[in-house]
């Protein structure tokens, strides 16, 4: 969840490793490194060494902190260890693989051929990595009541000034509480220690009764992702006239000599994270607010690749390429309407929800430069979408007043439609790009995606849907 650290254990095994030793098989060890920027890698963990083995299954699991909102680049290196030195520079390199942690956790089993150098196969050897979240998903649910409590204070009543009065205490354990699991209440006497010490006639300060006891599983974001949930990513780009002529350096759509603008940076920043959670890497991308050839009618839902029957782009690079190609062919116009694209994605989310499984979740990224025109229709579209497996990210580019976007975000209260219907969940995250102009590019994705895990889990919990493939429940 946002602001929380999730720890993941990675299990590693290899097949058909190269034999570097003349008289025996290799003695492999696997080391895990993480990209820390600037082309530098830092070691996070390493497995044990296994003697004389070409097909090792390492017992020691590699531990790494996981963040959904970051691209965490990892490197796994397998070495033949022939000495007692901790330094690996004097050991034979059998091969390795580079990937992201997102690729590993979104795969049931992540398998790749080993490479001697990046992109160059070792000619032999395969590595398999599987992930498991370090946690206990079980929660204890109790139904409780009390009787004959001392009249000094009401049960569960706290004084506003913080001077709470103790009624009494008791001690128990899960074994005792489980007695209430079969419908037979379990009772405990509440004892006030000072009263018991002062009054010989003191018995107790009331009875605490556990009416029912059950252990439930509380699923995490990674439970759903590792259980087979795919995240579908859609982009909506604002092509209204207020952006300015794309040929002018003053335009928000002007592509600078280094090949970027704020729209492209936002697409890359968010898309580079989300793409690891979609198997086919096909992402629909749309534009709105422009006059589109050949009829030159204003459209608020046109495919960036000009193919309405197949608006999918291959990977994030495909979205970028489609954006670059379509830009000179449009006439920027207006107004700024969000609801058509929101409703478009919502139709797909609604179809997925009808399946009744936690298999598909949808993220819509809208990048815009100005005030929204169809605010009432957009409010209704968001309220409707809040009942679906869907999140909406809005990135505001330029220097416009984004008060309406902040209103849609709902951080200051529950968003309501024009008729007063409240959103079922908070699904909108808005950020102005100008806050990240001088920040590292990954800072934008960390902010706009931080709430997605909580939004995804809240939806499936609300529906009562477990992961498609639930994790194994550990025994008590």
């Amino acid at each position: 969840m946002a602001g929380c650290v999730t720890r993941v254990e990675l299990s590693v095994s290899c097949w058909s490793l190269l034999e570097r030793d003349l008289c025996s098989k290799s003695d492999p060890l696997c080391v895990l490194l993480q990209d820390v920027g600037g082309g530098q890698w830092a070691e996070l963990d390493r497995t044990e060494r296994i003697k004389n083995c070409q097909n090792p299954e390492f017992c020691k699991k590699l531990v790494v902190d996981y963040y959904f909102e970051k691209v965490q680049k990892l490197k796994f290196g397998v070495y033949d260890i022939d000495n007692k030195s901790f330094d690996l520079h004097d050991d034979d390199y059998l091969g390795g693989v580079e990937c992201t942690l997102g690729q590993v956790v979104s795969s049931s089993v992540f398998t790749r051929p080993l490479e001697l150098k990046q992109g160059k196969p070792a000619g032999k050897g395969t590595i398999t990595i599987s992930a498991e979240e370090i946690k206990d998903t079980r929660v204890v649910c109790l139904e409780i009541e009390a009787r004959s409590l001392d009249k000094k204070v009401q049960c569960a009543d706290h004084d506003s000034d913080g001077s709470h009065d103790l009624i009494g205490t008791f001690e128990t354990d899960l074994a005792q509480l489980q007695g209430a699991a079969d419908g037979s209440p379990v009772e405990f006497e509440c004892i006030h220690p000072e009263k018991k010490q002062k009054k010989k006639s003191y018995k107790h300060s009331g009875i605490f009764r556990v009416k029912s006891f059950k252990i439930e599983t509380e699923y995490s974001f990674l439970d759903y992702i590792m259980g087979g949930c795919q995240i579908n990513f859609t982009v909506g780009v604002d092509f209204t006239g207020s952006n300015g002529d794309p040929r002018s350096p003053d335009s928000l759509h002007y592509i600078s000599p280094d090949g970027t603008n704020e729209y492209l940076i936002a697409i890359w920043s968010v898309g580079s994270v989300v793409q690891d959670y979609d198997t086919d890497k096909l992402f629909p991308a749309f534009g709105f607010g422009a006059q589109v050839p050949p009829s030159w009618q204003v459209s608020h839902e046109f495919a960036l690749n000009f193919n309405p029957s197949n608006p999918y782009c291959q990977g994030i690079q495909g979205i970028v390429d489609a954006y670059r190609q379509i830009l000179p062919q449009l006439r920027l116009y207006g107004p700024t309407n969000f609801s058509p694209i929101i409703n478009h994605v919502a139709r797909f989310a609604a179809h997925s929800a009808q399946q009744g499984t936690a298999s598909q979740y949808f993220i819509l990224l809208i990048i815009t430069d100005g005030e929204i025109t169809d605010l009432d229709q957009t409010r209704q579209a968001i309220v409707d979408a809040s009942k679906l497996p869907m999140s909406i990210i809005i990135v505001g580019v330029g220097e416009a007043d984004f008060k309406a976007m902040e209103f849609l975000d709902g951080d200051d209260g529950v968003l309501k439609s024009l008729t007063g219907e409240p959103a079922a969940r908070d699904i909108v995250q808005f950020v102005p790009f100008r806050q990240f102009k001088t920040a590292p590019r990954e800072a934008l994705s960390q902010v706009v995606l931080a709430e997605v895990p909580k939004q995804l889990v809240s939806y499936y919990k609300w529906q009562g849907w477990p992961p498609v493939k639930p994790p194994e429940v550990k025994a008590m």
Side-chain angles (χ1 to χ4, degrees):
M1 300 303 172
C4 298
V5 177
T6 299
R7 307 207 84 190
V8 174
E9 289 180 333
L10 304 177
S11 300
V12 181
S13 60
C14 300
W15 291 290
S16 303
L17 293 178
L18 289 170
E19 293 186 37
R20 293 291 191 185
D21 297 338
L22 294 176
C23 301
S24 65
K25 293 184 171 74
S26 297
D27 303 331
L29 169 152
C30 182
V31 62
L32 171 63
L33 302 100
Q34 185 168 23
D35 182 6
V36 293
Q40 301 297 310
W41 296 84
E43 180 176 334
L44 293 180
D45 207 349
R46 61 172 68 184
T47 67
E48 79 281 13
R49 179 184 66 158
I50 299 180
K51 291 186 177 181
N52 299 324
C53 185
Q54 283 182 278
N55 306 300
E57 292 188 15
F58 298 103
C59 294
K60 184 180 183 303
K61 297 181 179 181
L62 306 175
V63 178
V64 59
D65 293 340
Y66 166 80
Y67 301 90
F68 166 72
E69 63 273 18
K70 295 181 182 180
V71 177
Q72 295 174 263
K73 295 180 181 178
L74 304 179
K75 182 188 294 185
F76 294 83
V78 182
Y79 291 83
D80 175 19
I81 308 299
D82 289 321
N83 54 57
K84 295 183 179 180
S85 170
F86 188 81
D87 190 355
L88 297 173
H89 288 93
D90 55 356
D91 297 300
D92 289 326
Y93 183 60
L94 301 179
V97 65
E98 292 186 23
C99 60
T100 68
L101 185 54
Q103 288 175 303
V104 175
V105 300
S106 61
S107 305
S108 55
V109 179
F110 183 83
T111 301
R112 292 291 187 276
L114 289 170
E115 302 169 349
L116 284 177
K117 293 183 179 179
Q118 187 176 7
K120 295 184 178 181
K124 198 174 184 183
T126 303
I127 187 169
T128 294
I129 308 156
S130 60
E132 181 181 0
E133 185 178 357
I134 303 176
K135 68 181 190 319
D136 189 342
T137 59
R138 299 165 300 171
V139 293
V140 174
C141 299
L142 304 174
E143 183 183 356
I144 60 176
E145 66 180 11
R147 69 172 187 269
S148 302
L149 294 176
D150 282 2
K151 299 297 188 285
K152 191 178 230 182
V153 297
Q154 293 181 357
C155 187
D157 182 29
H158 285 231
D159 295 335
S160 59
D161 62 359
S163 58
H164 316 309
D165 294 317
L166 175 67
I167 299 175
T169 64
F170 67 91
E171 293 184 4
T172 186
D173 56 30
L174 283 179
Q176 285 182 290
L177 292 172
Q178 282 180 305
D182 60 0
S184 302
V186 179
E187 294 187 348
F188 302 92
E189 293 181 347
C190 280
I191 305 299
H192 193 295
E194 293 183 3
K195 290 183 179 180
K196 183 178 182 179
Q197 189 175 14
K198 291 179 181 179
K199 298 180 181 179
K200 292 183 178 180
S201 61
Y202 176 79
K203 293 183 178 180
H204 56 73
S205 296
I207 302 297
F208 190 92
R209 170 183 282 192
V210 179
K211 297 175 67 177
S212 68
F213 170 96
K214 60 181 178 179
I215 298 174
E216 295 182 345
T217 301
E218 192 169 80
Y219 297 111
S220 70
F221 174 73
L222 278 181
D223 285 332
Y224 286 104
I225 295 301
M226 294 177 181
C229 182
Q230 294 279 300
I231 293 181
N232 300 273
F233 180 54
T234 303
V235 175
V237 178
D238 181 342
F239 289 103
T240 55
S242 53
N243 282 277
D245 186 345
R247 295 168 295 183
S248 169
D250 296 331
S251 171
L252 290 167
H253 279 297
Y254 176 75
I255 298 178
S256 65
D258 65 358
T260 65
N261 60 29
E262 293 185 4
Y263 281 94
L264 288 171
I265 292 173
I267 291 171
W268 269 116
S269 179
V270 179
S272 61
V273 173
V274 178
Q275 67 178 349
D276 285 341
Y277 301 86
D278 189 315
T279 302
D280 62 19
K281 303 289 187 291
L282 293 174
F283 306 117
F286 300 92
F288 59 91
Q291 293 178 323
V292 181
S295 65
W296 301 109
Q297 294 293 311
V298 175
S299 175
H300 298 287
E301 188 186 341
F302 58 90
L304 285 193
N305 62 6
F306 275 155
N307 187 349
S309 61
N310 185 15
Y312 297 89
C313 301
Q314 183 63 58
I316 303 306
Q317 184 62 53
I319 298 176
V320 170
D321 292 343
Y323 168 83
R324 290 174 179 272
Q325 291 169 13
I326 200 174
L327 194 56
Q329 305 178 58
L330 301 174
R331 294 176 184 168
L332 276 58
Y333 205 73
T336 307
N337 292 348
F338 282 9
S339 59
I341 286 181
I342 295 175
N343 289 329
H344 176 97
V345 177
R347 286 193 291 271
F348 285 90
H351 178 73
S352 175
Q354 291 173 359
Q355 310 304 312
T357 61
S359 59
Q360 304 280 333
Y361 195 84
F362 295 78
I363 296 178
L364 169 61
L365 169 65
I366 298 176
I367 314 170
T368 183
D369 83 310
E371 281 297 293
I372 188 169
T373 309
D374 63 338
L375 182 60
D376 293 339
Q377 294 91 332
T378 296
R379 287 165 61 185
Q380 184 64 59
I382 292 173
V383 169
D384 293 340
S386 70
K387 307 165 193 171
L388 301 171
M390 180 173 168
S391 294
I392 301 171
I393 296 166
I394 305 174
V395 175
V397 297
E399 302 300 324
D401 182 355
F402 293 114
K403 287 183 180 178
M405 310 302 171
E406 294 168 353
F407 168 73
L408 295 175
D409 194 320
D411 284 346
D412 296 329
V414 178
L415 178 70
K416 295 182 180 180
S417 69
L418 191 61
T419 61
E421 180 185 5
R425 302 179 298 126
D426 178 13
I427 65 169
V428 177
Q429 179 76 1
F430 166 74
V431 296
F433 185 90
R434 55 178 172 250
Q435 294 181 358
F436 301 90
K437 275 189 174 182
T438 59
R441 287 193 179 182
E442 59 269 20
L444 176 64
S445 65
Q446 290 176 28
V447 171
V448 299
L449 292 173
E451 298 297 323
V452 169
K454 181 171 67 176
Q455 292 169 352
L456 182 148
V457 171
S458 71
Y459 175 77
Y460 291 130
K461 184 176 181 180
W462 177 47
Q463 294 291 350
W465 296 345
V468 176
K469 296 178 183 177
E472 293 183 7
V473 178
K474 299 176 182 178
M476 292 296 294

